[in-house]
């Protein structure tokens, strides 16, 4: 069947609970490097305020998925979760579904003026030409047995005083109210946030009051290098199961700042906060300024059985007019 015929035969609609099993079949065990989050997020996404989840069907078979989350006070739609069943990739179905989602948003939410999304797969120059680059992060990815994480933390912590920019601050875990106040300050927005954008787990948001509720739903842990005018601020999601291994957990830490010592300090504080609750096998991504990545990776060379999960990878936050 031709790509044009495939696209014509597609029916697009809002996803339903009974689509769950078919949605899980959109990804193979090799996709997303074994870290597919859909089993954890699908039901939550269907219930999340401001989010619309769409599927494409052919002959009653779910063949693609895309979601749109309304943010920035209803001015922006963040597209997330795009998937196409393996045997139909490259047939134009993804474009057909995305066109349906855009048309739906335009009809039902005419106040939305922009679409934002994140890409970590090195999009082509032709794709990039369609968007504005608003921010960029580099991913440091690590994996280990949970039982080895404590030794890793202790090993890295012993090296901190050797860093040239080390200052003896103790990282501070913020309350939700403290975090929400701090993330909107001129100091953080202008000096720390990449592209003046709050990035949480590949989710790009403008630093504005209307987005605080979105962040509140995520149950984040916020840690800074110091309480007042920090040089580094971090947020971490709750670990969730992934198919990489039967007992594997995945979590992302986003760190904003360029001081290596401070980045390391809050990175270790985030891991230490999680340590009592972790079991099984861990795969964790830490997203940082690309300038910091080489030295952070060198810092994370260890003798504690913690391995690098993949090589250098960038996440691009992109935006276009709707």
């Amino acid at each position: 069947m031709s790509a044009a015929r495939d696209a014509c035969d597609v029916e697009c609609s809002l996803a339903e609970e009974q689509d769950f099993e078919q949605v899980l079949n959109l990804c193979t065990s090799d996709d997303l490097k074994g870290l597919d989050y859909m089993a954890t997020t699908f039901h939550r996404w269907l219930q999340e305020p401001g989010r619309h989840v769409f599927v494409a069907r052919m002959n009653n078979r779910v063949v693609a998925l895309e979601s749109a989350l309304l943010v920035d006070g209803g001015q922006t739609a963040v597209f997330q979760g795009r998937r196409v069943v393996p045997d139909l990739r490259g047939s134009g179905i993804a474009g057909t579904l995305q066109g349906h989602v855009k048309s739906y948003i335009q009809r039902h939410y005419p106040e939305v003026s922009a679409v934002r999304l994140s890409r970590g797969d090195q999009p082509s120059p032709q794709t990039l030409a369609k968007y504005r680059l608003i921010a960029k992060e580099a991913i440091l990815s690590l994996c280990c047995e949970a039982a080895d994480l404590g030794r890793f933390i202790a090993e890295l912590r012993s090296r901190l005083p050797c860093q040239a920019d080390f200052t003896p601050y103790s990282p501070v875990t913020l309350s939700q109210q403290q975090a929400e106040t701090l993330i909107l300050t001129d100091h953080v927005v202008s000096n720390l946030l990449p592209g003046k954008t709050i990035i949480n787990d590949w989710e790009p948001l403008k630093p504005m009051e209307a987005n605080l509720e979105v962040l509140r739903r995520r149950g984040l842990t916020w840690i800074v290098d110091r309480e007042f005018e920090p040089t580094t601020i971090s947020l971490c999601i709750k670990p969730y199961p992934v198919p990489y291994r039967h007992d594997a957990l995945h979590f992302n830490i986003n760190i904003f700042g360029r001081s290596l010592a401070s980045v390391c300090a809050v990175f270790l504080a985030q891991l230490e906060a999680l340590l009592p609750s972790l079991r099984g096998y861990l795969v964790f991504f830490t997203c940082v300024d690309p300038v910091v990545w080489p030295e952070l990776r060198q810092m994370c060379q260890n003798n504690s059985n913690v391995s690098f999960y993949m090589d250098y990878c960038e996440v691009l936050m992109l935006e276009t007019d709707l």
Side-chain angles (χ1 to χ4, degrees):
M1 186 179 291
S2 69
R5 178 67 184 276
D6 283 350
C8 290
D9 290 344
V10 174
E11 295 181 358
C12 302
S13 62
L14 289 166
E16 300 177 347
E17 294 283 353
Q18 56 263 37
D19 295 324
F20 179 64
E21 293 299 331
Q22 290 197 65
V23 164
L24 294 187
N25 292 332
L26 295 176
C27 273
T28 70
S29 58
D30 295 327
D31 288 331
L32 303 177
K33 300 187 182 296
L35 305 179
D36 187 13
Y37 53 81
M38 195 54 66
T40 299
T41 62
F42 180 75
H43 298 296
R44 174 171 61 80
W45 275 10
L46 292 184
Q47 303 300 320
E48 183 173 11
R51 187 184 294 278
H52 303 275
V53 184
F54 300 84
V55 292
R57 292 182 172 86
M58 293 180 64
N59 299 320
N60 294 318
R61 176 195 181 199
V62 174
V63 295
L65 178 142
E66 180 86 87
S67 86
L69 176 64
L70 302 183
V71 300
D72 301 348
Q75 300 172 20
T76 305
V78 175
F79 281 21
Q80 294 173 291
R82 180 190 294 186
R83 283 155 172 68
V84 176
V85 73
D87 60 294
L88 292 175
R89 290 172 190 171
S91 66
I93 289 173
T96 298
L97 179 56
Q98 188 174 81
H100 174 84
V101 176
K102 287 182 177 179
S103 296
Y104 181 97
I105 297 297
Q106 288 172 323
R107 288 196 310 271
H108 293 86
Y109 302 96
E111 66 276 16
V112 175
S113 59
V115 169
R116 199 176 299 142
L117 51 83
S118 57
R119 292 289 295 270
D121 56 355
Q122 296 183 328
S124 67
Q126 292 83 358
T127 298
L128 288 177
K130 301 175 183 178
Y131 296 93
R132 298 181 291 274
L133 176 64
I134 58 174
K136 182 189 295 186
E137 290 188 308
I139 299 175
L140 180 74
S141 57
L142 297 162
C143 55
C144 66
E145 300 288 348
D148 293 321
L149 188 62
R151 289 195 297 127
F152 174 75
I153 294 170
E155 182 178 346
L156 266 60
R157 193 175 295 286
S158 69
R159 300 179 194 165
L160 273 180
C162 301
Q163 296 301 308
D165 61 347
F166 176 74
T167 51
Y169 294 112
S170 295
V172 178
T173 300
L174 302 177
S175 67
Q176 186 66 35
Q177 183 176 358
Q178 287 175 312
E180 292 181 3
T181 300
L182 183 62
I183 202 69
L184 300 184
T185 61
D186 289 340
H187 169 74
V188 170
V189 173
S190 298
N191 299 316
L192 299 183
L193 297 183
K196 297 185 177 181
T197 304
I198 304 170
I199 305 172
N200 163 51
D201 191 23
W202 297 47
E203 200 169 65
L205 307 170
K206 286 185 178 179
M208 56 193 298
E209 288 277 351
N211 286 328
L212 295 181
E213 173 55 32
V214 178
L215 293 169
R216 205 172 294 141
R217 293 176 213 147
R218 305 297 180 248
L220 304 171
T221 298
W222 299 78
I223 297 180
V224 294
D225 63 334
R226 60 178 187 244
E227 191 170 350
F228 300 104
E229 295 199 346
T231 65
T232 303
I233 183 168
S234 67
L235 47 98
C236 181
I237 67 171
K238 295 179 179 178
Y240 58 87
V242 288
Y244 178 79
R245 206 174 88 173
H246 74 280
D247 60 347
L249 293 175
H250 178 58
F251 57 92
N252 285 345
I253 305 170
N254 291 85
I255 303 179
F256 313 124
R258 290 191 168 190
S259 161
L260 178 63
S262 294
V263 168
C264 286
V266 299
F267 168 59
L268 295 177
Q270 288 282 10
L271 295 180
E272 205 158 36
L274 288 169
L275 193 57
S277 63
L278 296 176
R279 300 289 185 275
Y281 194 76
L282 312 176
V283 182
F284 50 102
F285 289 3
T286 303
C287 300
V288 296
D289 190 301
V291 172
V292 176
W293 190 92
E295 290 181 295
L296 182 60
R297 188 188 192 283
Q298 184 175 359
M299 180 81 172
C300 287
Q301 296 280 359
N302 67 91
N303 299 308
S304 304
N305 294 325
V306 175
S307 304
F308 295 102
Y309 188 69
M310 61 185 186
D311 294 329
Y312 181 85
C313 178
E314 287 184 342
V315 182
L316 307 181
M317 304 298 157
L318 305 173
E319 186 177 83
T320 189
D321 298 328
L322 184 61

